[in-house]
Amino acid sequence: MFEIRTKSTFLLLLILPAVLISMIGGCGDINQTNDTNFTEVTAHETIEPTALPVISSEPKGSTVNVDEGLPLSRPISSAAVSVSPNGRLVIAVNPDNNSITLVDAINLAVLSEIPVGTTPRTISITPDSESVLVANHGSGTISKVDLSQAIEVAQYSVGSMPYGVVTDGVYAFVAEFGPGTISKLDLVTGELLDRIVVDAFPSGLALSRDGGRLFVTHFFTGLLTVIDQKTSTAIGKVSTGSNTNLSQFISIAPDGIKAYLPQTRSNITNTTLLFDTTVFPIVNVVDLTKLQLLVRERITLDTADEPVNMPFAVALSPDANILYLANAGSDDVSVVDLHINTKLAHLSVGSNPHGIAITPDGSRIFVNNILDGTLSVIDAETLAVIDTIPITDIPLAPTVLLGKKLFNSAAQSALTTDNWISCATCHFDGSMDSRTWLGFPDGPRNTPALFGVGQTLPIHWSGDLDELQDVEITIREIQFGNGLMEGEVHDSLGAPHSGLSAELDALAAYLSSIQVPPSPFERDSEAIDHGRSLFETLGCQTCHTPPLYTDLKSHNVGTGDPAKEKNSHGRGTTFDTPSLRGIWLTAPYFHDGSANNLEEVFQTGLAHNISDKIEAGELQALISFIMSLPDDD
């Protein structure tokens, strides 16, 4: 499956378990063996997971003495790639392959690829370097992997769509993206000890060096929540700006004073959008002692370095003087001197780098390029990429993989100008950005999710894109790219764009592959059953027809301002019926984002205003049903 990048490949495969054990124990000689029992694993073997225990959904008392934990050598963050505290292993997630890969941090050799849950998002290595926890975003689980045996030993059920995970060696903390909660688990037993309700869509996690404070980013809002770990209570919040988005990572300086958050600022009120006035790549800096945003220390990447897209993850040098930033959309790394917020280097890496990590001694930096299945290795002294290590074979069909790379990329002029905007900037993972843009060509537009978009043509709020390949127009008009096809674009309702460009067809293939995420809301409850009945009684299914929950038609439902609607096909205030599948994730609602929640939806316009026709309890039952879609059974 992989190339083992060492001169002694055969010897490495023979001694692999001893290498892993020696790394974990901190021995100087990586070839040293001991009497520990192990399971032999090679880079070419398929490892079957063991029987997996499932934790209870109710909090229980801890069976672990907190004094048994090891002290942290530094603050830790959930990340897509990490270096073990002893500096001997690099571990990276492979989201499309449902696995993690272990790499020898010294010899740069792949040691093993280990199956875990579905769509692993982030990892956290225990302070003793003996285990790693993996947040499986797609399967709603946390995998626990024994590093000496290179095998998953347990998989614990947690809340929907776990994003970040960190551990202090005693507890595991999990950001549950779907329900908006933080879970605290007993690391030994996997039991749920506590569940903390926070603001919506928690994503990135970091733990202070003393283990006392847990820091939580919120994906769409840029909010930072601070939790007291011992009392499991939120003790403070910091806003990094209401216009910040894609906030899913936080790195804390070794002294614990400052935190660095890579984010994207959205210029939604601009009515004359240009490529360089739409979104801005930044790293916000927060004073953790005062819980205050340090506006003057904000790193604005297009001036500190050069235009980049989707700053995603940060690594700090041991002395916290240099910041290494992985930019997921522009496929590069910015190296910034934090004394003057100025570029030291700008390095090209692989496709869609989601993670970056540095060795404890600061000598090497590793970048996880998740859509190439590679690990870039950067020498900190020369600031050059010295190796690229294949760590997985991505199993997607070639056309879909190409389309996914194009969707996430701002690295070529065909897609945008100056690495500025990718499709994923507003539609990360096929979702939306929770923003209403005032300067779109058609008028004010709430960014729609792309869940199941291949089944619900036409698209756009005006219903004027009748094939997925019509996104060529979006690339040219919104992203300011040269386009993926030759020549002029057709009218969106005219001659087809399909078949005119292999890359454009690949992008359409990827769009067709985007699935509707399951709802985290409780199934089969009395309220949902009652809400389903009300949905039918009120005639909602006339336009929101199951199973797609759309009739694929346009209607005037009494929303929109005719003076603001500028659709070139004269659609006016007639809008495409949105699918209700996955609606729990897609607030605000309507084409102009005028309803912040479903309660407001049912007080707005003509067709949806049922506030005088339904009791409060029935309204909540109806909302419960709608929020449970698509899996309403």
Side-chain angles (χ1 to χ4, degrees):
M1 185 180 297
F2 331 99
E3 176 190 356
I4 305 297
R5 303 178 69 85
T6 178
K7 296 179 180 179
S8 52
T9 300
F10 179 70
L11 176 60
L12 176 65
L13 293 177
L14 289 178
I15 66 170
L16 174 60
V19 170
L20 291 173
I21 292 168
S22 128
M23 286 179 174
I24 293 161
C27 302
D29 181 1
I30 66 170
N31 294 321
Q32 181 177 348
T33 60
N34 56 34
D35 296 329
T36 304
N37 293 328
F38 57 83
T39 301
E40 184 171 358
V41 179
T42 75
H44 295 274
E45 292 179 349
T46 299
I47 306 164
E48 296 298 331
T50 59
L52 305 176
V54 178
I55 63 174
S56 166
S57 61
E58 295 298 325
K60 296 183 179 180
S62 175
T63 60
V64 181
N65 186 340
V66 71
D67 294 332
E68 295 174 3
L70 293 177
L72 302 177
S73 59
R74 57 186 175 181
I76 54 173
S77 302
S78 56
V81 61
S82 291
V83 180
S84 60
N86 63 15
R88 295 180 174 276
L89 280 178
V90 184
I91 306 176
V93 298
N94 306 311
D96 285 312
N97 220 17
N98 304 328
S99 66
I100 61 172
T101 297
L102 276 56
V103 176
D104 183 329
I106 299 171
N107 295 321
L108 304 183
V110 171
L111 301 174
S112 183
E113 182 172 4
I114 305 168
V116 289
T118 306
T119 323
R121 181 75 72 179
T122 61
I123 60 173
S124 183
I125 305 171
T126 54
D128 58 11
S129 300
E130 292 184 358
S131 301
V132 63
L133 301 183
V134 187
N136 302 311
H137 192 67
S139 55
T141 60
I142 297 295
S143 292
K144 183 178 180 180
V145 174
D146 184 311
L147 294 176
S148 65
Q149 299 185 75
I151 191 168
E152 180 188 56
V153 295
Q155 196 173 121
Y156 306 129
S157 293
V158 294
S160 172
M161 303 171 76
Y163 202 112
V165 59
V166 290
T167 179
D168 59 1
V170 176
Y171 304 116
F173 303 91
V174 184
E176 297 166 332
F177 186 88
T181 50
I182 305 297
S183 280
K184 181 178 180 179
L185 309 182
D186 184 312
L187 189 60
V188 174
T189 67
E191 292 177 341
L192 176 64
L193 303 176
D194 209 345
R195 180 162 274 146
I196 308 161
V197 177
V198 293
D199 286 75
F201 307 119
S203 46
L205 293 180
L207 196 62
S208 62
R209 183 173 179 176
D210 64 4
R213 291 191 295 171
L214 182 69
F215 300 90
V216 186
T217 71
H218 297 268
F219 195 90
F220 296 114
T221 64
L223 185 70
L224 179 65
T225 298
V226 186
I227 293 174
D228 183 287
Q229 189 265 108
K230 293 183 179 179
T231 63
S232 295
T233 56
I235 58 174
K237 297 179 183 179
V238 183
S239 172
T240 59
S242 60
N243 57 358
T244 54
N245 198 5
L246 298 172
S247 184
Q248 53 74 60
F249 185 87
I250 173 173
S251 179
I252 300 175
D255 62 9
I257 295 177
K258 294 180 182 179
Y260 297 83
L261 293 86
Q263 299 168 326
T264 297
R265 297 182 70 190
S266 303
N267 192 11
I268 61 174
T269 59
N270 184 5
T271 56
T272 55
L273 292 174
L274 298 173
F275 74 92
D276 56 353
T277 62
T278 303
V279 292
F280 300 96
I282 60 169
V283 177
N284 263 321
V285 185
V286 173
D287 184 327
L288 297 181
T289 61
K290 299 178 181 179
L291 296 186
Q292 182 179 16
L293 178 66
L294 301 175
V295 177
R296 293 187 177 183
E297 294 191 30
R298 175 185 294 146
I299 304 170
T300 305
L301 273 306
D302 58 308
T303 54
D305 180 14
E306 60 185 70
V308 299
N309 179 247
M310 288 179 61
F312 216 72
V314 164
L316 296 171
S317 61
D319 59 9
N321 289 330
I322 299 174
L323 178 142
Y324 304 90
L325 173 68
N327 302 304
S330 47
D331 301 343
D332 48 29
V333 169
S334 300
V335 184
V336 178
D337 183 332
L338 290 177
H339 290 302
I340 53 176
N341 279 4
T342 301
K343 174 181 72 173
L344 294 174
H346 186 92
L347 309 172
S348 295
V349 290
S351 178
N352 206 210
H354 268 209
I356 188 166
I358 191 168
T359 54
D361 65 3
S363 62
R364 283 177 174 171
I365 299 94
F366 299 91
V367 184
N368 185 4
N369 309 305
I370 66 167
L371 291 184
D372 276 347
T374 62
L375 199 66
S376 296
V377 185
I378 298 170
D379 183 282
E381 183 176 353
T382 62
L383 293 180
V385 176
I386 59 172
D387 207 345
T388 300
I389 308 169
I391 60 172
T392 192
D393 289 331
I394 299 175
L396 299 180
T399 299
V400 174
L401 178 56
L402 172 59
K404 190 170 186 177
K405 288 183 177 182
L406 293 168
F407 182 86
N408 286 279
S409 178
Q412 53 177 295
S413 59
L415 296 167
T416 189
T417 299
D418 285 350
N419 299 335
W420 213 278
I421 310 172
S422 62
C423 303
T425 305
C426 298
H427 298 282
F428 181 77
D429 277 354
S431 184
M432 69 327 142
D433 58 11
S434 293
R435 303 298 195 271
T436 298
W437 296 81
L438 302 185
F440 266 47
D442 285 1
R445 286 297 180 265
N446 172 23
T447 305
L450 303 177
F451 305 142
V453 70
Q455 299 174 299
T456 57
L457 291 168
I459 53 176
H460 265 193
W461 282 104
S462 298
D464 59 349
L465 301 189
D466 59 5
E467 61 171 343
L468 294 179
Q469 284 87 346
D470 284 343
V471 296
E472 173 76 2
I473 300 171
T474 303
I475 290 172
R476 298 193 186 196
E477 294 185 357
I478 305 301
Q479 297 179 201
F480 298 91
N482 296 329
L484 295 173
M485 52 169 271
E486 298 291 334
E488 297 297 318
V489 296
H490 304 151
D491 185 281
S492 64
L493 297 176
H497 291 115
S498 62
L500 301 181
S501 161
E503 288 189 325
L504 185 57
D505 288 342
L507 179 56
Y510 170 67
L511 291 172
S512 289
S513 75
I514 297 173
Q515 302 297 309
V516 184
S519 171
F521 290 85
E522 185 180 358
R523 310 290 194 273
D524 299 328
S525 71
E526 182 178 345
I528 289 175
D529 290 339
H530 184 40
R532 182 186 294 107
S533 177
L534 288 167
F535 187 85
E536 297 170 354
T537 301
L538 292 166
C540 303
Q541 78 280 2
T542 302
C543 296
H544 296 284
T545 310
L548 298 178
Y549 289 90
T550 174
D551 61 1
L552 308 178
K553 299 177 182 178
S554 296
H555 303 277
N556 188 332
V557 294
T559 58
D561 182 347
K564 295 180 179 178
E565 295 304 316
K566 300 175 287 186
N567 178 260
S568 60
H569 294 92
R571 300 299 172 95
T573 55
T574 298
F575 301 109
D576 185 52
T577 304
S579 171
L580 300 183
R581 299 182 301 169
I583 198 171
W584 67 271
L585 181 54
T586 60
Y589 304 113
F590 293 128
H591 77 286
D592 57 357
S594 54
N596 292 313
N597 50 55
L598 290 180
E599 285 84 355
E600 292 184 10
V601 166
F602 293 118
Q603 299 171 7
T604 302
L606 302 174
H608 299 93
N609 192 343
I610 59 172
S611 56
D612 60 344
K613 302 176 184 178
I614 191 170
E615 298 291 335
E618 291 184 323
L619 178 60
Q620 290 306 310
L622 176 61
I623 290 174
S624 293
F625 165 67
I626 294 172
M627 294 286 275
S628 75
L629 298 173
D631 187 12
D632 59 301
D633 294 328

